[in-house]
Coordinates of all heavy atoms in Angstrom, one line a residue:
M59 N 11.0 8.9 -10.1 CA 10.4 7.6 -9.9 C 9.9 7.5 -8.5 O 10.5 7.8 -7.5 CB 11.3 6.4 -10.1 CG 10.8 5.1 -9.9 SD 12.0 3.8 -10.1 CE 11.5 3.1 -11.6
P60 N 8.6 7.1 -8.3 CA 8.1 7.1 -7.0 C 8.5 5.9 -6.3 O 9.0 4.9 -6.8 CB 6.6 6.9 -7.2 CG 6.5 6.4 -8.6 CD 7.6 6.8 -9.4
F61 N 8.3 5.8 -4.9 CA 8.7 4.8 -4.0 C 8.1 3.5 -4.5 O 8.6 2.4 -4.6 CB 8.4 5.0 -2.5 CG 8.8 4.0 -1.6 CD1 10.1 3.8 -1.3 CD2 7.7 3.2 -0.9 CE1 10.4 2.7 -0.4 CE2 8.1 2.3 -0.1 CZ 9.4 1.9 0.2
L62 N 6.7 3.5 -4.7 CA 6.0 2.3 -5.1 C 5.8 2.3 -6.7 O 5.4 3.4 -7.2 CB 4.6 2.3 -4.5 CG 4.7 2.0 -2.9 CD1 3.3 2.1 -2.4 CD2 5.3 0.7 -2.6
T63 N 5.9 1.3 -7.2 CA 5.6 1.2 -8.7 C 4.5 0.3 -9.0 O 4.1 -0.5 -8.1 CB 6.9 0.7 -9.5 OG1 7.1 -0.7 -9.1 CG2 8.1 1.6 -9.2
Q64 N 3.9 0.3 -10.3 CA 2.7 -0.5 -10.6 C 3.1 -2.0 -10.5 O 2.2 -2.8 -9.9 CB 2.4 -0.3 -12.0 CG 1.8 1.1 -12.2 CD 0.5 1.4 -11.4 OE1 -0.4 0.5 -11.3 NE2 0.5 2.5 -10.8
T65 N 4.3 -2.4 -10.7 CA 4.7 -3.8 -10.7 C 4.8 -4.3 -9.2 O 4.7 -5.4 -8.9 CB 6.0 -4.1 -11.5 OG1 7.0 -3.3 -10.9 CG2 5.8 -3.9 -12.9
D66 N 5.1 -3.4 -8.3 CA 5.1 -3.8 -6.8 C 3.9 -4.4 -6.3 O 3.9 -5.3 -5.5 CB 5.4 -2.6 -5.9 CG 6.9 -2.1 -6.1 OD1 7.7 -2.7 -6.6 OD2 7.0 -0.8 -6.0
Y67 N 2.8 -4.1 -6.9 CA 1.5 -4.6 -6.3 C 1.2 -6.0 -6.6 O 0.4 -6.7 -6.0 CB 0.4 -3.7 -6.8 CG 0.4 -2.3 -6.2 CD1 0.8 -1.2 -7.1 CD2 0.1 -2.0 -4.9 CE1 1.0 0.1 -6.5 CE2 0.2 -0.8 -4.3 CZ 0.6 0.3 -5.2 OH 0.7 1.5 -4.7
S68 N 2.0 -6.5 -7.6 CA 1.6 -8.0 -7.9 C 1.8 -8.9 -6.8 O 1.3 -10.1 -6.8 CB 2.4 -8.4 -9.1 OG 3.8 -8.4 -9.0
V69 N 2.7 -8.6 -5.8 CA 2.9 -9.6 -4.8 C 1.7 -9.7 -3.7 O 1.6 -10.6 -2.9 CB 4.2 -9.2 -3.9 CG1 5.4 -9.2 -4.8 CG2 4.0 -7.9 -3.2
A70 N 0.8 -8.6 -3.8 CA -0.2 -8.6 -2.9 C -1.6 -8.7 -3.5 O -2.6 -9.0 -2.8 CB -0.2 -7.4 -2.0
V71 N -1.8 -8.3 -4.7 CA -3.2 -8.2 -5.3 C -3.0 -8.4 -6.8 O -2.0 -7.8 -7.4 CB -3.9 -6.9 -5.0 CG1 -3.1 -5.7 -5.6 CG2 -5.4 -6.9 -5.4
R72 N -3.9 -9.1 -7.5 CA -3.7 -9.3 -8.9 C -4.2 -7.9 -9.6 O -4.9 -7.2 -9.1 CB -4.7 -10.4 -9.3 CG -4.2 -11.8 -8.8 CD -5.0 -12.9 -9.3 NE -6.1 -12.8 -10.2 CZ -7.3 -13.3 -10.2 NH1 -7.6 -14.2 -9.3 NH2 -8.3 -13.0 -11.0
N73 N -3.6 -7.7 -10.7 CA -3.7 -6.4 -11.5 C -5.2 -6.1 -11.7 O -5.7 -5.1 -11.6 CB -2.9 -6.4 -12.7 CG -2.8 -5.1 -13.3 OD1 -2.5 -4.1 -12.6 ND2 -3.2 -5.0 -14.6
E74 N -6.0 -7.3 -12.1 CA -7.3 -7.0 -12.4 C -8.2 -6.6 -11.2 O -9.1 -5.8 -11.3 CB -8.0 -8.2 -13.2 CG -8.0 -9.5 -12.5 CD -6.8 -10.3 -12.8 OE1 -5.7 -9.8 -13.3 OE2 -6.8 -11.5 -12.5
I75 N -7.8 -7.1 -10.0 CA -8.5 -6.7 -8.8 C -8.1 -5.3 -8.5 O -9.0 -4.5 -8.1 CB -8.1 -7.7 -7.6 CG1 -8.4 -9.1 -8.0 CG2 -8.7 -7.2 -6.3 CD1 -9.9 -9.5 -8.0
K76 N -6.8 -4.9 -8.5 CA -6.4 -3.6 -8.3 C -7.1 -2.6 -9.3 O -7.7 -1.5 -8.8 CB -4.9 -3.4 -8.4 CG -4.4 -2.0 -8.3 CD -2.9 -1.9 -8.3 CE -2.4 -2.2 -9.6 NZ -2.4 -1.1 -10.5
T77 N -7.3 -2.9 -10.5 CA -7.9 -2.1 -11.5 C -9.5 -2.0 -11.1 O -10.0 -0.9 -11.2 CB -7.8 -2.8 -13.0 OG1 -6.5 -2.9 -13.3 CG2 -8.5 -1.9 -13.9
M78 N -10.0 -3.1 -10.7 CA -11.5 -3.0 -10.4 C -11.6 -2.1 -9.0 O -12.5 -1.3 -9.0 CB -12.0 -4.3 -10.1 CG -13.5 -4.4 -9.5 SD -14.0 -5.9 -8.7 CE -13.1 -5.9 -7.1
L79 N -10.8 -2.3 -8.1 CA -10.9 -1.6 -6.8 C -10.7 0.0 -7.0 O -11.3 0.8 -6.3 CB -9.9 -2.1 -5.8 CG -10.2 -3.4 -5.2 CD1 -9.1 -4.0 -4.4 CD2 -11.6 -3.5 -4.4
T80 N -9.9 0.3 -7.9 CA -9.5 1.7 -8.1 C -10.3 2.3 -9.3 O -10.1 3.4 -9.7 CB -8.1 2.0 -8.3 OG1 -7.6 1.3 -9.5 CG2 -7.3 1.6 -7.2
D81 N -11.2 1.5 -10.0 CA -11.9 1.9 -11.2 C -10.8 2.4 -12.2 O -11.1 3.2 -13.0 CB -12.9 3.0 -11.0 CG -14.0 2.6 -10.1 OD1 -14.4 1.4 -10.2 OD2 -14.6 3.4 -9.4
N82 N -9.6 1.8 -12.2 CA -8.5 2.2 -13.2 C -8.2 3.6 -13.0 O -7.7 4.3 -14.1 CB -8.9 1.7 -14.5 CG -7.6 1.4 -15.3 OD1 -6.6 1.1 -14.7 ND2 -7.7 1.7 -16.6
S83 N -8.4 4.2 -11.8 CA -8.2 5.7 -11.7 C -6.8 5.8 -11.0 O -6.5 5.3 -9.8 CB -9.3 6.2 -10.7 OG -8.9 7.5 -10.3
E84 N -6.0 6.7 -11.6 CA -4.7 6.9 -11.1 C -4.9 7.9 -9.8 O -4.2 7.7 -8.8 CB -3.9 7.7 -12.0 CG -2.4 7.9 -11.7 CD -1.7 6.6 -11.5 OE1 -1.9 5.7 -12.3 OE2 -0.8 6.7 -10.8
V85 N -6.0 8.6 -9.8 CA -6.3 9.5 -8.6 C -6.7 8.6 -7.3 O -6.1 8.8 -6.2 CB -7.4 10.4 -8.8 CG1 -7.9 11.1 -7.6 CG2 -7.0 11.5 -9.9
K86 N -7.4 7.5 -7.6 CA -7.8 6.7 -6.4 C -6.6 5.9 -5.9 O -6.3 5.7 -4.8 CB -8.9 5.7 -6.9 CG -10.2 6.4 -6.9 CD -11.3 5.4 -7.3 CE -12.7 6.1 -7.3 NZ -13.7 5.2 -7.6
L87 N -5.7 5.4 -6.9 CA -4.5 4.7 -6.6 C -3.6 5.7 -5.8 O -3.0 5.3 -4.7 CB -3.7 4.3 -7.9 CG -2.4 3.6 -7.6 CD1 -2.4 2.3 -6.8 CD2 -1.7 3.3 -9.0
Q88 N -3.4 6.8 -6.2 CA -2.6 7.8 -5.5 C -3.1 8.1 -4.1 O -2.4 8.2 -3.2 CB -2.3 9.0 -6.3 CG -1.3 10.0 -5.8 CD 0.1 9.4 -6.0 OE1 0.5 8.8 -7.0 NE2 0.8 9.4 -4.8
T89 N -4.4 8.2 -4.0 CA -5.1 8.4 -2.7 C -4.7 7.4 -1.7 O -4.3 7.6 -0.5 CB -6.5 8.6 -2.9 OG1 -6.8 9.7 -3.6 CG2 -7.3 8.8 -1.4
A90 N -4.8 6.2 -2.1 CA -4.5 4.9 -1.3 C -3.0 4.9 -0.9 O -2.7 4.6 0.2 CB -5.0 3.6 -2.0
E91 N -2.2 5.2 -1.8 CA -0.9 5.3 -1.6 C -0.4 6.4 -0.6 O 0.3 6.1 0.3 CB 0.1 5.5 -2.9 CG 0.0 4.3 -3.8 CD 0.9 4.5 -5.1 OE1 1.4 5.7 -5.2 OE2 1.0 3.6 -5.8
N92 N -1.0 7.6 -0.8 CA -0.7 8.7 0.0 C -1.2 8.3 1.5 O -0.5 8.7 2.6 CB -1.4 9.9 -0.3 CG -0.6 10.5 -1.6 OD1 0.5 10.2 -1.9 ND2 -1.4 11.4 -2.3
Q93 N -2.4 7.7 1.6 CA -2.9 7.4 3.1 C -1.9 6.3 3.7 O -1.7 6.5 4.8 CB -4.2 6.8 2.9 CG -5.3 7.6 2.5 CD -6.6 7.1 2.1 OE1 -6.8 5.9 1.7 NE2 -7.7 7.9 2.3
A94 N -1.4 5.4 2.9 CA -0.6 4.3 3.5 C 0.7 4.9 3.9 O 1.2 4.6 5.0 CB -0.4 3.1 2.5
L95 N 1.3 5.7 3.0 CA 2.6 6.3 3.4 C 2.4 7.3 4.6 O 3.3 7.4 5.4 CB 3.3 7.1 2.2 CG 3.5 6.1 1.0 CD1 4.2 6.8 -0.1 CD2 4.4 4.9 1.4
A96 N 1.3 7.9 4.7 CA 1.1 8.9 5.8 C 1.0 8.0 7.1 O 1.5 8.4 8.2 CB -0.2 9.6 5.6
Q97 N 0.3 6.8 7.1 CA 0.3 6.0 8.3 C 1.6 5.6 8.7 O 1.9 5.6 9.9 CB -0.5 4.7 7.9 CG -2.1 4.9 7.9 CD -2.7 3.6 7.6 OE1 -2.7 3.2 6.4 NE2 -3.3 3.0 8.5
I98 N 2.5 5.2 7.7 CA 3.8 4.7 8.1 C 4.6 5.9 8.7 O 5.2 5.7 9.8 CB 4.6 4.2 6.9 CG1 3.9 2.9 6.4 CG2 6.1 3.9 7.2 CD1 4.3 2.4 5.1
K99 N 4.4 7.1 8.2 CA 5.2 8.2 8.6 C 4.7 8.6 10.1 O 5.6 8.9 11.0 CB 5.0 9.4 7.7 CG 5.7 9.4 6.5 CD 5.4 10.5 5.6 CE 6.1 10.4 4.2 NZ 5.8 11.6 3.4
T100 N 3.4 8.4 10.4 CA 2.9 8.6 11.7 C 3.4 7.6 12.8 O 3.7 8.1 13.8 CB 1.4 8.6 11.7 OG1 0.8 9.5 10.8 CG2 0.8 8.7 13.0
Y101 N 3.5 6.4 12.3 CA 4.0 5.3 13.2 C 5.5 5.4 13.5 O 5.9 5.1 14.6 CB 3.5 3.9 12.6 CG 2.1 3.7 12.8 CD1 1.4 3.3 11.7 CD2 1.3 3.9 13.8 CE1 0.0 3.1 11.6 CE2 -0.1 3.8 13.9 CZ -0.7 3.4 12.7 OH -2.1 3.1 12.8
V102 N 6.2 5.6 12.5 CA 7.7 5.5 12.7 C 8.5 6.8 12.4 O 9.7 6.8 12.6 CB 8.3 4.4 11.8 CG1 7.7 3.1 12.1 CG2 8.1 4.6 10.3
G103 N 7.7 7.9 12.1 CA 8.5 9.1 11.7 C 9.4 9.6 12.8 O 10.4 10.3 12.5
G104 N 9.2 9.5 14.1 CA 10.0 9.9 15.1 C 11.3 9.0 15.3 O 12.3 9.5 15.9
R105 N 11.3 7.9 14.7 CA 12.5 7.0 14.7 C 13.3 6.9 13.6 O 14.6 6.5 13.7 CB 11.9 5.5 15.2 CG 11.2 5.6 16.6 CD 10.7 4.2 16.8 NE 9.6 4.1 16.0 CZ 8.6 3.2 16.1 NH1 8.6 2.3 17.1 NH2 7.5 3.1 15.3
I106 N 12.8 7.1 12.4 CA 13.6 7.0 11.2 C 13.2 8.2 10.3 O 12.2 8.8 10.4 CB 13.3 5.7 10.5 CG1 11.8 5.6 10.0 CG2 13.6 4.5 11.3 CD1 11.6 4.4 9.0
D107 N 14.1 8.4 9.3 CA 14.0 9.5 8.4 C 13.0 9.0 7.3 O 13.5 8.4 6.3 CB 15.4 9.9 7.9 CG 15.3 11.1 6.9 OD1 14.1 11.6 6.6 OD2 16.3 11.6 6.5
C108 N 11.8 9.3 7.4 CA 10.8 8.8 6.3 C 11.0 9.4 5.0 O 10.8 8.8 3.9 CB 9.4 9.0 6.8 SG 8.9 8.0 8.2
N109 N 11.6 10.7 5.0 CA 11.8 11.4 3.7 C 12.8 10.6 2.9 O 12.7 10.4 1.7 CB 12.1 12.8 3.9 CG 11.0 13.6 4.3 OD1 9.9 13.4 3.9 ND2 11.2 14.7 5.0
A110 N 13.9 10.2 3.6 CA 14.9 9.4 3.0 C 14.4 8.0 2.6 O 14.7 7.5 1.5 CB 16.1 9.2 4.0
L111 N 13.6 7.5 3.5 CA 13.0 6.1 3.2 C 12.3 6.1 1.9 O 12.3 5.3 1.0 CB 12.1 5.7 4.3 CG 11.4 4.4 4.2 CD1 12.2 3.2 4.1 CD2 10.4 4.3 5.2
F112 N 11.3 7.1 1.8 CA 10.4 7.1 0.6 C 10.9 7.8 -0.6 O 10.1 7.8 -1.7 CB 9.0 7.7 1.0 CG 8.3 6.8 2.1 CD1 7.9 7.4 3.3 CD2 8.1 5.6 1.9 CE1 7.2 6.6 4.3 CE2 7.5 4.7 2.8 CZ 7.1 5.3 4.0
T113 N 12.1 8.2 -0.7 CA 12.7 8.8 -1.9 C 13.6 7.6 -2.5 O 14.1 7.8 -3.5 CB 13.5 10.0 -1.7 OG1 14.5 9.7 -0.6 CG2 12.6 11.2 -1.1
Q114 N 13.7 6.5 -1.8 CA 14.5 5.4 -2.4 C 13.7 4.8 -3.6 O 12.6 4.8 -3.6 CB 14.7 4.3 -1.3 CG 15.6 4.7 -0.2 CD 15.7 3.7 0.8 OE1 15.0 2.7 1.0 NE2 16.8 3.8 1.7
T115 N 14.5 4.3 -4.6 CA 13.9 3.8 -5.8 C 14.5 2.4 -6.1 O 15.6 2.2 -5.7 CB 13.8 4.7 -6.9 OG1 15.2 4.9 -7.3 CG2 13.2 6.0 -6.6
G116 N 13.7 1.7 -6.9 CA 14.4 0.4 -7.4 C 14.9 -0.5 -6.3 O 14.3 -0.7 -5.3
A117 N 16.1 -1.0 -6.6 CA 16.8 -2.1 -5.7 C 17.3 -1.4 -4.4 O 17.6 -2.1 -3.5 CB 17.9 -2.8 -6.4
D118 N 17.3 -0.1 -4.4 CA 17.7 0.5 -3.1 C 16.7 0.6 -2.0 O 17.0 0.8 -0.9 CB 18.0 2.1 -3.3 CG 19.3 2.1 -4.3 OD1 20.1 1.3 -4.2 OD2 19.4 3.2 -4.9
R119 N 15.5 0.2 -2.4 CA 14.3 0.1 -1.3 C 14.5 -1.0 -0.4 O 14.8 -2.1 -0.7 CB 13.0 0.1 -2.0 CG 12.7 1.4 -3.0 CD 11.5 1.1 -3.7 NE 11.5 -0.1 -4.6 CZ 10.6 -0.5 -5.3 NH1 9.4 0.1 -5.3 NH2 10.7 -1.6 -6.1
D120 N 14.2 -0.8 0.9 CA 14.2 -1.8 1.9 C 13.0 -2.8 1.7 O 11.9 -2.3 1.5 CB 14.2 -1.3 3.3 CG 14.2 -2.3 4.3 OD1 15.2 -2.9 4.6 OD2 13.1 -2.6 4.9
A121 N 13.3 -4.1 1.5 CA 12.2 -5.1 1.2 C 11.1 -5.0 2.2 O 10.0 -5.1 1.8 CB 12.9 -6.5 1.0
L122 N 11.4 -4.9 3.6 CA 10.5 -5.0 4.5 C 9.5 -3.7 4.5 O 8.3 -3.7 4.5 CB 11.0 -5.1 5.9 CG 10.0 -5.2 7.1 CD1 9.1 -6.3 6.9 CD2 10.7 -5.2 8.4
N123 N 10.2 -2.5 4.3 CA 9.4 -1.3 4.2 C 8.5 -1.4 2.9 O 7.4 -0.9 2.9 CB 10.3 -0.1 4.1 CG 11.0 0.1 5.5 OD1 10.4 -0.1 6.5 ND2 12.2 0.6 5.5
L124 N 9.1 -1.8 1.8 CA 8.3 -2.1 0.6 C 7.1 -2.8 0.8 O 5.9 -2.4 0.4 CB 9.2 -2.5 -0.4 CG 8.6 -2.7 -1.9 CD1 8.2 -1.4 -2.4 CD2 9.6 -3.4 -2.8
I125 N 7.3 -4.0 1.4 CA 6.1 -5.0 1.5 C 5.0 -4.4 2.5 O 3.8 -4.5 2.3 CB 6.5 -6.4 1.9 CG1 5.3 -7.3 1.6 CG2 6.9 -6.6 3.3 CD1 5.0 -7.5 0.1
I126 N 5.4 -3.8 3.5 CA 4.5 -3.2 4.4 C 3.7 -2.1 3.8 O 2.6 -1.9 3.9 CB 5.2 -2.6 5.8 CG1 5.7 -3.9 6.6 CG2 4.4 -1.7 6.5 CD1 6.6 -3.5 7.8
S127 N 4.5 -1.2 3.0 CA 3.8 -0.1 2.2 C 2.8 -0.7 1.2 O 1.6 -0.3 1.3 CB 4.8 0.6 1.4 OG 5.8 1.2 2.3
I128 N 3.1 -1.9 0.6 CA 2.2 -2.4 -0.4 C 0.9 -3.0 0.4 O -0.2 -2.8 -0.1 CB 2.9 -3.6 -1.1 CG1 3.9 -3.0 -2.1 CG2 1.9 -4.4 -2.0 CD1 4.9 -3.9 -2.5
Y129 N 1.1 -3.6 1.5 CA 0.0 -4.2 2.3 C -0.9 -3.1 2.7 O -2.1 -3.3 2.7 CB 0.5 -5.0 3.5 CG 1.2 -6.4 3.1 CD1 1.9 -7.0 4.0 CD2 0.9 -6.9 1.9 CE1 2.5 -8.3 3.7 CE2 1.5 -8.2 1.5 CZ 2.3 -8.8 2.5 OH 2.8 -10.1 2.2
L130 N -0.4 -2.0 3.1 CA -1.2 -0.9 3.6 C -1.9 -0.3 2.6 O -3.1 0.1 2.7 CB -0.3 0.1 4.4 CG 0.2 -0.3 5.7 CD1 1.2 0.8 6.3 CD2 -0.8 -0.6 6.7
V131 N -1.3 0.0 1.4 CA -2.0 0.4 0.2 C -3.2 -0.5 -0.2 O -4.3 0.0 -0.4 CB -1.1 0.7 -1.0 CG1 -1.8 1.1 -2.3 CG2 0.0 1.7 -0.6
V132 N -2.9 -1.8 -0.3 CA -4.0 -2.7 -0.6 C -5.1 -2.7 0.3 O -6.3 -2.6 0.0 CB -3.4 -4.1 -0.8 CG1 -4.5 -5.1 -1.0 CG2 -2.5 -4.2 -2.0
F133 N -4.8 -2.6 1.6 CA -5.9 -2.4 2.5 C -6.6 -1.2 2.4 O -7.8 -1.2 2.4 CB -5.3 -2.4 4.0 CG -6.3 -2.3 5.1 CD1 -6.9 -3.3 5.6 CD2 -6.6 -1.0 5.6 CE1 -7.9 -3.0 6.6 CE2 -7.5 -0.7 6.6 CZ -8.2 -1.8 7.0
N134 N -5.9 -0.1 2.0 CA -6.7 1.1 1.8 C -7.5 1.1 0.5 O -8.6 1.8 0.4 CB -5.7 2.3 1.7 CG -5.4 2.7 3.1 OD1 -6.1 2.9 4.0 ND2 -4.1 2.9 3.3
F135 N -7.1 0.3 -0.5 CA -7.9 0.0 -1.7 C -9.3 -0.5 -1.2 O -10.3 0.1 -1.6 CB -7.2 -1.0 -2.6 CG -6.1 -0.7 -3.4 CD1 -5.4 -1.7 -3.9 CD2 -5.9 0.6 -3.7 CE1 -4.2 -1.4 -4.8 CE2 -4.7 1.0 -4.5 CZ -4.0 -0.1 -5.0
Y136 N -9.2 -1.5 -0.5 CA -10.5 -2.2 -0.1 C -11.2 -1.3 0.9 O -12.5 -1.1 0.7 CB -10.2 -3.5 0.6 CG -9.9 -4.6 -0.3 CD1 -8.6 -5.1 -0.5 CD2 -10.9 -5.2 -1.0 CE1 -8.3 -6.1 -1.4 CE2 -10.6 -6.3 -2.0 CZ -9.3 -6.7 -2.1 OH -9.0 -7.8 -3.0
Y137 N -10.6 -0.7 1.8 CA -11.3 0.2 2.8 C -12.0 1.3 2.3 O -13.2 1.7 2.6 CB -10.2 0.5 4.0 CG -10.9 1.3 5.0 CD1 -11.5 0.5 6.1 CD2 -11.0 2.6 5.1 CE1 -12.1 1.2 7.2 CE2 -11.6 3.3 6.3 CZ -12.1 2.5 7.3 OH -12.8 3.2 8.3
C138 N -11.4 1.9 1.4 CA -12.1 3.2 0.7 C -12.9 2.8 -0.3 O -13.9 3.6 -0.6 CB -10.8 4.1 0.2 SG -9.8 4.7 1.4
F139 N -12.7 1.8 -1.1 CA -13.4 1.6 -2.4 C -14.3 0.4 -2.4 O -15.3 0.3 -3.3 CB -12.5 1.7 -3.5 CG -11.6 2.8 -3.5 CD1 -10.3 2.6 -3.6 CD2 -12.0 4.2 -3.5 CE1 -9.4 3.8 -3.5 CE2 -11.3 5.2 -3.6 CZ -9.9 5.0 -3.5
A140 N -14.1 -0.7 -1.5 CA -14.9 -1.9 -1.5 C -14.8 -2.6 -0.2 O -14.3 -3.8 -0.2 CB -14.4 -2.8 -2.7
T141 N -15.2 -2.0 0.8 CA -15.0 -2.5 2.2 C -15.6 -4.0 2.3 O -14.9 -4.9 2.8 CB -15.6 -1.7 3.3 OG1 -15.1 -0.4 3.0 CG2 -15.4 -2.2 4.6
K142 N -16.8 -4.3 1.6 CA -17.5 -5.5 1.9 C -16.8 -6.6 1.1 O -17.0 -7.7 1.3 CB -18.9 -5.3 1.4 CG -19.8 -4.5 2.3 CD -21.2 -4.4 1.9 CE -21.9 -3.5 2.9 NZ -23.3 -3.5 2.6
L143 N -15.9 -6.2 0.1 CA -15.2 -7.3 -0.7 C -13.8 -7.6 -0.1 O -13.1 -8.5 -0.6 CB -15.0 -6.7 -2.1 CG -16.3 -6.5 -2.9 CD1 -15.9 -5.8 -4.2 CD2 -17.1 -7.7 -3.0
M144 N -13.4 -6.9 1.0 CA -12.0 -7.3 1.6 C -11.9 -8.6 2.0 O -12.6 -9.1 2.9 CB -11.9 -6.3 2.8 CG -10.4 -6.2 3.3 SD -10.1 -5.1 4.6 CE -10.7 -3.5 4.0
P145 N -10.9 -9.2 1.5 CA -10.6 -10.5 1.9 C -9.9 -10.6 3.3 O -9.2 -9.6 3.7 CB -9.5 -11.2 0.9 CG -9.1 -9.9 0.1 CD -10.0 -8.8 0.4
Q146 N -10.1 -11.6 4.1 CA -9.5 -11.7 5.5 C -8.0 -11.6 5.4 O -7.4 -10.9 6.3 CB -10.0 -13.0 6.0 CG -9.5 -13.2 7.5 CD -10.2 -12.1 8.4 OE1 -11.3 -11.7 8.2 NE2 -9.5 -11.7 9.5
K147 N -7.3 -12.0 4.4 CA -5.9 -11.9 4.3 C -5.5 -10.5 4.3 O -4.4 -10.1 4.8 CB -5.3 -12.7 3.2 CG -5.5 -12.2 1.9 CD -4.8 -13.0 0.9 CE -5.1 -12.5 -0.5 NZ -4.5 -13.4 -1.6
S148 N -6.2 -9.6 3.7 CA -5.9 -8.1 3.6 C -6.0 -7.5 5.0 O -5.1 -6.7 5.5 CB -6.8 -7.3 2.7 OG -6.4 -7.7 1.4
N149 N -7.0 -7.9 5.8 CA -7.1 -7.5 7.2 C -6.0 -8.0 8.1 O -5.4 -7.2 8.8 CB -8.4 -7.9 7.9 CG -9.5 -7.1 7.6 OD1 -9.4 -5.9 7.6 ND2 -10.7 -7.6 7.5
K150 N -5.6 -9.2 7.8 CA -4.5 -9.8 8.6 C -3.2 -9.2 8.3 O -2.4 -8.9 9.2 CB -4.4 -11.4 8.3 CG -3.2 -11.9 8.9 CD -3.4 -13.2 9.6 CE -2.2 -13.9 10.2 NZ -1.3 -13.2 10.9
R151 N -2.9 -8.9 7.0 CA -1.7 -8.3 6.6 C -1.6 -6.9 7.1 O -0.6 -6.4 7.5 CB -1.6 -8.3 5.1 CG -1.3 -9.6 4.5 CD -1.2 -9.6 2.9 NE -0.8 -10.9 2.5 CZ -0.9 -11.2 1.1 NH1 -1.4 -10.3 0.4 NH2 -0.5 -12.4 0.7
Y152 N -2.7 -6.2 7.1 CA -2.8 -4.8 7.7 C -2.4 -4.9 9.1 O -1.6 -4.1 9.7 CB -4.1 -4.2 7.6 CG -4.3 -2.9 8.2 CD1 -3.9 -1.7 7.6 CD2 -4.9 -2.8 9.5 CE1 -4.0 -0.5 8.2 CE2 -4.9 -1.5 10.1 CZ -4.6 -0.4 9.4 OH -4.7 0.8 10.0
D153 N -3.1 -5.7 10.0 CA -2.7 -5.9 11.4 C -1.4 -6.3 11.6 O -0.7 -5.7 12.5 CB -3.7 -7.0 12.0 CG -5.2 -6.5 12.2 OD1 -5.4 -5.3 12.0 OD2 -6.0 -7.5 12.2
D154 N -0.8 -7.2 10.8 CA 0.6 -7.6 11.0 C 1.5 -6.4 10.7 O 2.6 -6.2 11.3 CB 1.0 -8.8 10.1 CG 0.3 -10.1 10.5 OD1 -0.3 -10.1 11.6 OD2 0.3 -10.9 9.6
S155 N 1.2 -5.6 9.7 CA 2.1 -4.4 9.3 C 2.1 -3.4 10.3 O 3.1 -2.7 10.6 CB 1.5 -3.8 8.0 OG 1.6 -4.7 6.9
I156 N 0.9 -3.1 11.0 CA 0.7 -2.1 12.0 C 1.5 -2.7 13.2 O 2.2 -2.1 13.9 CB -0.7 -1.7 12.3 CG1 -1.3 -1.3 11.0 CG2 -0.8 -0.8 13.4 CD1 -0.7 0.0 10.5

């Protein structure tokens, strides 16, 4: 089971928006997830064990790390696939997460 699940995204973006942004493509979704997790690893990799962090599943996942990951993925959805449609709150959440 991956660190992020499809149901995790409902806290940050409606499913129909996510589907539109990714063209319902699993490849585009995976690309955005990989970019977000790479960003997190770059920022905190020297301080925490990111491999242990991102292999956690279900209720074992840290809530703060989970929401930051989701916000970064949603930002990457917009940034990569629909920059002009990006809502201000996605920019703010990105800035807050970084």
Side-chain angles (χ1 to χ4, degrees):
M59 175 184 257
F61 180 71
L62 295 173
T63 66
Q64 294 296 318
T65 56
D66 291 332
Y67 292 105
S68 64
V69 299
V71 65
R72 292 185 4 221
N73 192 50
E74 57 269 18
I75 301 295
K76 180 175 69 78
T77 300
M78 178 198 69
L79 290 172
T80 62
D81 293 329
N82 205 28
S83 166
E84 192 63 33
V85 171
K86 287 183 178 181
L87 175 62
Q88 193 63 48
T89 298
E91 287 180 0
N92 289 341
Q93 290 171 338
L95 298 183
Q97 282 180 285
I98 293 169
K99 288 177 183 179
T100 298
Y101 292 127
V102 299
R105 294 175 288 195
I106 63 171
D107 181 356
C108 289
N109 289 330
L111 173 72
F112 293 126
T113 56
Q114 296 174 340
T115 59
D118 292 334
R119 300 174 298 174
D120 178 77
L122 180 60
N123 291 326
L124 181 62
I125 197 67
I126 288 172
S127 299
I128 293 166
Y129 287 163
L130 292 177
V131 172
V132 171
F133 177 85
N134 282 317
F135 285 160
Y136 282 105
Y137 186 80
C138 293
F139 310 121
T141 305
K142 292 183 180 185
L143 300 176
M144 187 182 305
Q146 185 61 33
K147 71 179 179 181
S148 288
N149 271 328
K150 173 138 177 44
R151 288 175 174 170
Y152 176 83
D153 290 342
D154 292 346
S155 295
I156 299 300

